[in-house]
Amino acid sequence: MKEILDVLIVGGGPIGLACGIACEKANINYLIVEKGVLTNSLFNYPLNMTFFSTSEKLEMGEIPFMSVSHKPTRTEALEYYRRVFQKWKLKVHLYEEVNILNKTSSGIFEVITNKGKYAAHNIVMATGFYDLPNLMNVPGEDLPKVSHYYKEPWPYIGQEVLVVGGANSAVDVALEVWRKGGHVTMALKGDGIDANVKYWVKPDIENRIKEGSIKAYTNSLVKEIREKEVVLDTPEGEVTIPNDFVLAMTGYVPNFALLDQLGVELSLDEKRQPCYDPNNQESNIPGVYLAGVVCGGLNTREFFIENSIVHAQQIVNHIKEKVSR
């Protein structure tokens, strides 16, 4: 630890990059540490995913985001944020995972990663939520045929596929797999497809279910996963269906473990929302800031790239204010 950084940013996604740009503009000494590839969460999105937001709402650093269609694809987003990284010459360490975060008695944060040690006056947690899946906690969930991530439909041609969930990701997966020849069944926790599913997709999935092309069990939960079948708990009782693959699109959760290490308090309700000041993004621990989706806790539908980019400037403004006092 040869120097003490002004800011260490945990997470190299779009919001982490936005924080880096804000630091660059303010001439603040910073470092971004990312455990995977640049914009790791976007990299793990389905290959053919289209964003809900339009391209101009995802822009940052005065760099235009041009896309072929009104709404950009995953590939276009990866290329755009690569150009952002390159244009601003952002200080990013990739494939470096943060393991230990600690605030010393002197108020300096010690950060230990799988590759080194750092010291910083301030920490920005921009860790998102896409890295840790929301598990079903049922027997058989650890079988090789079960995945909480989806890339492309080709492995599922001619296969019996159970898609768990009824939100945007599950609907996109179900439709794409079905269109490529998979035999798709959906397990829906509620009484139908989520009301917040993209408006241009919702009629499509509902019509496929209505015509019987995709079988859907409503108000149903996965009870057990076996090698060649799945047991569902439905209003009519247990139902056992043939199965080759389970795609559990059950959502994701923030990295609460890192927040716990720093002493960031969480709300006691079902949201488990971290404590922070929305005016400056500082948590209940002075010097620890939250940026992006992590601010919502388990409520992962409140914050997105487009409404979280502003967090970067709020954080840097507050840090500058503290320095000038």
Side-chain angles (χ1 to χ4, degrees), residues 113-135:
T113 73
N114 61 328
K115 293 184 177 180
K117 297 180 180 180
Y118 305 92
H121 292 290
N122 300 280
I123 298 288
V124 176
M125 300 298 294
T127 49
F129 70 95
Y130 198 65
D131 292 329
L132 300 174
N134 189 22
L135 300 178

Side-chain angles (χ1 to χ4, degrees), residues 63-66 79-88:
I63 300 175
F65 187 170
M66 306 300 294
E79 172 59 19
Y80 172 72
Y81 292 116
R82 182 196 68 81
R83 289 192 292 111
V84 169
F85 160 74
Q86 190 174 52
K87 175 69 175 179
W88 281 92

